[in-house]
Amino acid sequence: MSSVILVKHPLVSDRLRTLRDRETSTELFRRALRELGLILAVEATRHLSTRETTVVTPLGVEARVEEVDSSRCLLVPVLRAGLGFLDCFLEFLPRARVAHVGVARNHDTLEAEVYLSSVPLNAMEYDHVFILDPMLATGNSSVKVLELLQLRGYSPGRVVLVCGFAVEAGITQVCLKFPGVRIVTAAIDPELNDLGYIVPGLGDAGDRLYLL
């Protein structure tokens, strides 16, 4: 089954406070989301495979070390809000490939529709896939992205879904439809409102990132 990791840390709590506050400016919102993303990236990459190599230290001594081949990682930011986490992951995985997926929500039916995808077909070249989306609300957008990945040959066991805010309804849908996917989140809120927004949540992350 899917596993859910709720990241607990004083710095996470502080960034969540900033993100929830409706008085937070666009500048501070972007900064807080980026800082939260860095913390989540550390947890989400916990299971990365490494390879052994050697280096020579400043003392002229050869030391055995381990390194991550980030070229075997695929980052999938869900537009628009997922871009807020993208640079955080590229800080640690500079050679990762980026595949943008655009998902729009029909505000009448709350159904998700994919309008853009650059997910590569050569799935076997990637050991780890990270879906980046600050909000896991109904779960419809995440399921659409996971369906797209599966159709292109990516097994759920290689996928980590990274979000800042989630609710049980979205988590349950992802876990039931895609066992094996790991979910990393900073908060699990109690409910959705009639419009499908997380409550208390942070509003619309995409709007707060990119609209003045």
Side-chain angles (χ1 to χ4, degrees):
M1 290 295 292
S2 301
S3 61
V4 180
I5 297 98
L6 178 61
V7 180
K8 291 285 192 179
H9 193 284
L11 295 180
V12 168
S13 299
D14 183 75
R15 272 55 182 181
L16 293 178
R17 173 196 58 79
T18 301
L19 294 169
R20 289 190 191 278
D21 189 348
R22 68 179 183 180
E23 300 300 326
T24 297
S25 68
T26 300
E27 177 187 3
L28 292 179
F29 186 90
R30 289 171 177 167
R31 181 187 302 172
L33 191 65
R34 181 182 182 278
E35 291 169 348
L36 177 64
L38 288 168
I39 299 171
L40 293 177
V42 171
E43 179 59 45
T45 55
R46 181 179 297 276
H47 299 289
L48 285 183
S49 53
T50 61
R51 61 188 180 191
E52 188 176 277
T53 185
T54 58
V55 297
V56 177
T57 75
L59 298 179
V61 179
E62 188 175 87
R64 291 183 179 180
V65 295
E66 293 183 351
E67 66 179 3
V68 172
D69 182 5
S70 60
S71 68
R72 302 285 300 180
C73 296
L74 180 67
L75 306 179
V76 185
V78 181
L79 305 178
R80 297 171 297 170
L83 294 174
F85 282 162
L86 180 58
D87 286 345
C88 311
F89 277 74
L90 288 173
E91 287 279 346
F92 298 117
L93 306 171
R95 297 177 61 203
R97 172 79 180 271
V98 178
H100 298 90
V101 175
V103 181
R105 182 171 65 170
N106 185 311
H107 288 284
D108 294 324
T109 65
L110 301 185
E111 291 298 316
E113 301 169 356
V114 175
Y115 64 85
L116 178 148
S117 170
S118 61
V119 174
L121 294 172
N122 50 335
M124 295 311 296
E125 293 188 11
Y126 302 97
D127 298 325
H128 306 278
V129 181
F130 300 92
I131 300 174
L132 311 179
D133 193 345
M135 300 176 295
L136 173 56
T138 63
N140 293 340
S141 295
S142 297
V143 166
K144 279 291 185 182
V145 177
L146 285 162
E147 289 173 347
L148 175 63
L149 287 169
Q150 191 169 61
L151 283 172
R152 299 201 174 182
Y154 297 85
S155 63
R158 284 187 279 166
V159 178
V160 181
L161 172 58
V162 183
C163 49
F165 295 77
V167 292
E168 289 292 348
I171 291 172
T172 298
Q173 183 177 189
V174 170
C175 290
L176 287 176
K177 293 183 177 179
F178 292 94
V181 170
R182 284 186 292 126
I183 300 172
V184 176
T185 185
I188 301 177
D189 281 5
E191 60 185 344
L192 299 170
N193 66 14
D194 293 340
L195 298 177
Y197 284 94
I198 298 171
V199 177
L202 73 164
D204 187 300
D207 285 350
R208 296 188 70 185
L209 276 170
Y210 301 117
L211 297 182
L212 298 178

